[in-house]
Amino acid sequence: MAAGRLAIVTPSYAGDHQRCVLLAESLDRMATSDFQHYILVADHDLPLFKPMAGPRRHIVPDSHLLPGWLKPVTRPFSGGKTMWASLVPLVWPMSGWHIQQLRKLLIARHIDEDVMVMADSDSVFVRPFGAQSFEQNGLVRLYAKDGGITTEPAYNRHRRWTAHAATLFGSSPPTWPACDYINNLVSWRRQHVITMLDVIEQRSGRDLAATLGRARTFSEYQIYGAYVDGLAGRVGHFADAEPLSLTYWQGEALTEISLKAFVSKLSPQQIAICVQSFTGTSPALLRSYICDRANAL
């Protein structure tokens, strides 16, 4: 890889198209070093996203990443929502959320950049950033919050994800509290991801989609963390528990006043905000408030 190059990885879909355009604009405005942006979408969304392609932006359809036996179908009684189904025995139908995780993992086998940064399509970069935001002395930043997953009911799913990750590698069952690797703007080493996928597939005797499709729920971040801190001994990484993105996880749609109050909470280290799309916050509001004032931030 050329020094300083990043792979920004963004799974998206038609419902988030406006937000993804906003993310792309903020990347182009705020990046201070070279990057390649990979937007990962279903084939049926390719015509909508294809105009975004350019010298450093690539629209990658599922047909380039997912196995041919995994097919999108309309979920019954869902108002047109898509799920991915197959005839492979014991593979559960997968939601768009599951497929987004598969895309993030599998794209590692199709790119050249060594540092992968996961940027959801409802993220916006509001401060200048570059390779130095994710690398120090040849080590890649790993979001890792020791003891972040506890026995509290709020972490029920996190515990299941963490336990599932351990089974993929034949590791001992986790004890609680356990390390939390889930956040926005998480960075990975591409070669670690490739080796990790090989280990998972060799142990299971199936491809990644069939392996993960046998679990009702999983987390790509907990899987990578379990591999890096377990089998790989955190080689090539340094840990940091400070999020690089200020995230509005849930609540009512932000207004101009509440958005201003939210952005005022940015810490000195944070370079982006993420306003979850399901809050209903207007992309137009985000553009007018954040992008037009990004340099001032």
Side-chain angles (χ1 to χ4, degrees):
M1 126 181 168
R5 290 188 67 188
L6 301 171
I8 311 295
V9 177
T10 303
S12 196
Y13 75 110
D16 270 359
H17 177 257
Q18 291 185 54
R19 292 176 174 83
C20 192
V21 170
L22 183 56
L23 165 64
E25 292 173 356
S26 72
L27 273 171
D28 294 342
R29 180 184 298 111
M30 291 297 177
T32 60
S33 59
D34 193 16
F35 71 90
Q36 294 292 307
H37 188 196
Y38 299 91
I39 302 176
L40 318 179
V41 300
D43 286 65
H44 57 256
D45 285 338
L46 186 58
L48 179 63
F49 283 86
K50 198 169 183 179
M52 296 178 66
R56 58 182 180 182
R57 184 156 290 112
H58 315 275
I59 315 302
V60 184
D62 283 345
S63 55
H64 289 188
L65 296 177
L66 302 181
W69 53 260
L70 195 56
K71 301 293 186 182
V73 297
T74 301
R75 186 190 300 270
F77 313 110
S78 68
K81 292 184 179 180
T82 301
M83 68 178 183
W84 278 254
S86 80
L87 297 177
V88 174
L90 302 180
V91 173
W92 294 92
M94 296 191 196
S95 68
W97 176 58
H98 292 126
I99 295 300
Q100 288 196 9
Q101 296 184 65
L102 286 176
R103 291 170 182 159
K104 285 186 270 188
L105 293 164
L106 291 172
I107 190 62
R109 288 171 167 165
H110 299 268
I111 62 178
D112 296 325
E113 296 77 23
D114 187 52
V115 181
M116 301 169 59
V117 178
M118 308 301 145
D120 289 345
S121 53
D122 42 14
S123 297
V124 184
F125 285 83
V126 296
R127 285 180 173 145
F129 77 96
Q132 73 282 355
S133 304
F134 303 96
E135 284 188 272
Q136 292 181 11
N137 302 317
L139 301 179
V140 175
R141 182 183 187 274
L142 175 70
Y143 176 79
K145 185 177 181 181
D146 289 334
I149 298 177
T150 70
T151 56
E152 296 177 13
Y155 293 97
N156 285 345
R157 288 201 303 171
H158 293 70
R159 290 195 299 276
R160 291 198 297 271
W161 295 335
T162 305
H164 169 258
T167 66
L168 290 175
F169 306 111
S171 304
S172 300
T175 57
W176 316 109
C179 193
D180 186 2
Y181 305 97
I182 303 170
N183 216 295
N184 290 312
L185 296 192
V186 169
S187 46
W188 294 343
R189 295 196 76 99
R190 179 182 60 89
Q191 190 55 56
H192 278 344
V193 180
I194 292 172
T195 304
M196 178 187 78
L197 299 185
D198 291 342
V199 169
I200 292 172
E201 293 177 343
Q202 289 165 8
R203 281 186 50 82
S204 69
R206 308 175 186 91
D207 66 31
L208 182 75
T211 302
L212 297 186
R214 293 185 172 217
R216 296 301 300 269
T217 183
F218 54 86
S219 164
E220 76 282 40
Y221 295 127
Q222 292 303 104
I223 292 171
Y224 184 82
Y227 173 77
V228 168
D229 271 354
L231 274 66
R234 203 176 278 184
V235 171
H237 277 292
F238 71 94
D240 192 342
E242 172 70 21
L244 289 180
S245 174
L246 176 67
T247 301
Y248 184 64
W249 291 106
Q250 58 187 351
E252 297 180 353
L254 293 175
T255 64
E256 186 172 355
I257 293 175
S258 57
L259 176 61
K260 182 177 180 180
F262 170 69
V263 175
S264 70
K265 299 175 184 177
L266 275 168
S267 73
Q269 183 176 344
Q270 290 173 327
I271 57 178
I273 70 165
C274 178
V275 178
Q276 294 289 334
S277 58
F278 51 74
T279 66
T281 301
S282 165
L285 173 63
L286 292 170
R287 172 175 278 106
S288 63
Y289 184 79
I290 296 171
C291 289
D292 292 348
R293 296 163 175 81
N295 290 331
L297 288 171

